[in-house]
Amino acid sequence: MPDASQQVLITGAGRGIGAAIARRLARDGYELVLHCHKSRGQTEALAGEIKAARILQFDVTDRQAARETITADIEKFGAYYGVVINAGISADVPFPGMADEDWDKVLNTSLNGFYNVVRPAIMPMISARRPGRIVTISSVSGLLGNRGQVNYSAAKAGLIGATRALALELARHKITVNSVAPGFIETDMTKNVDFELAKKFIPMARPGQADDVAHAVSFLLSAGAVYITKQVLGVNGGMC
């Protein structure tokens, strides 16, 4: 079990994969910092359920708001042990018909969101002089690409690249940086996916569950993952 003072920030924690990660990490014994943007009510309900949690509300694409909110939280409660970058959106449409805003908002949320959250958290983690963990939630789309998801695939591929580069920079500080790449997971984001069709591309012939992703994140945050960094762990039923 982790020390009770080990704090983990989870972005996009209010629902879906983020909520599943929060519930699992709460069972692991971490003190959780739950980020939300618009889903305040869901996040408050989750915080009440798992108890050892507090809420930070800001838009991950708003650099100043992210920096000010995270810095103030760290000044009050201390450096984080872990950061889980889960916040993301999709806006699926064939590339020739893609609107500028569909490209911008998807990349801003995944890539600028990564920078805006990790940047103010990282120096306090380094200064704490203790092991730490950063886990990003990417996607099988960032590894394989997917029709109608040029923006989403680009965003998640970029997130994987950022993860691997940051892992090299932080290795000597005993801070590991890894990514979990889900495949077709049953959540609100995939409610319009034709899973009968999708199963043809999944060797295990079924969609995954949010808990499947949460278990992978739990492992990467654990002491048992101390020598694992710069890796992409696929949770995709064998798609790649």
Side-chain angles (χ1 to χ4, degrees):
M1 292 289 289
D3 185 286
S5 66
Q6 287 186 325
Q7 304 178 94
V8 178
L9 169 64
I10 307 169
T11 66
R15 57 195 178 95
I17 289 174
I21 291 170
R23 291 187 178 98
R24 174 56 199 255
L25 297 187
R27 291 198 299 271
D28 289 343
Y30 296 101
E31 179 182 344
L32 299 183
V33 185
L34 306 179
H35 158 266
C36 67
H37 178 204
K38 297 178 180 178
S39 57
R40 178 80 189 200
Q42 291 172 298
T43 309
E44 287 178 345
L46 178 63
E49 174 188 333
I50 63 179
K51 296 182 174 59
R54 61 185 181 274
I55 297 173
L56 301 183
Q57 185 171 8
F58 58 87
D59 181 352
V60 296
T61 69
D62 185 333
R63 185 161 299 158
Q64 182 175 351
R67 181 172 295 151
E68 290 177 354
T69 305
I70 292 170
T71 298
D73 189 64
I74 291 171
E75 287 176 350
K76 185 173 182 179
F77 295 101
Y80 304 136
Y81 163 74
V83 177
V84 180
I85 299 296
N86 170 71
I89 60 170
S90 62
D92 298 349
V93 64
F95 188 71
M98 185 174 292
D100 292 347
E101 56 266 29
D102 289 336
W103 176 268
D104 290 342
K105 68 185 181 182
V106 171
L107 268 75
N108 279 340
T109 302
S110 284
L111 295 183
N112 286 340
F114 166 86
Y115 177 85
N116 294 343
V117 171
V118 175
R119 182 66 179 80
I122 201 62
M123 276 310 300
M125 291 176 71
I126 292 171
S127 298
R129 297 184 180 276
R130 60 178 185 241
R133 303 282 189 270
I134 296 172
V135 178
T136 63
I137 306 301
S138 55
S139 172
V140 68
S141 295
L143 295 169
L144 298 180
N146 193 27
R147 287 186 179 91
Q149 288 194 321
V150 174
N151 50 0
Y152 189 75
S153 297
K156 294 303 187 179
L159 187 59
I160 288 169
T163 298
R164 287 174 164 159
L166 186 60
L168 296 176
E169 294 189 10
L170 297 182
R172 66 188 182 93
H173 298 291
K174 300 180 181 179
I175 299 172
T176 66
V177 191
N178 294 288
S179 190
V180 174
F184 291 102
I185 306 296
E186 287 188 307
T187 66
D188 289 344
M189 187 178 286
T190 59
K191 62 185 177 182
N192 295 321
V193 171
D194 183 345
F195 280 111
E196 289 303 313
L197 177 62
K199 285 192 292 188
K200 296 179 180 179
F201 304 98
I202 306 171
M204 293 187 72
R206 66 169 181 85
Q209 303 299 313
D211 283 345
D212 297 324
V213 181
H215 295 323
V217 174
S218 171
F219 168 65
L220 290 174
L221 264 72
S222 73
V226 67
Y227 200 56
I228 299 172
T229 197
K230 198 188 170 190
Q231 303 306 302
V232 180
L233 177 55
V235 181
N236 54 47
M239 292 180 69
C240 65

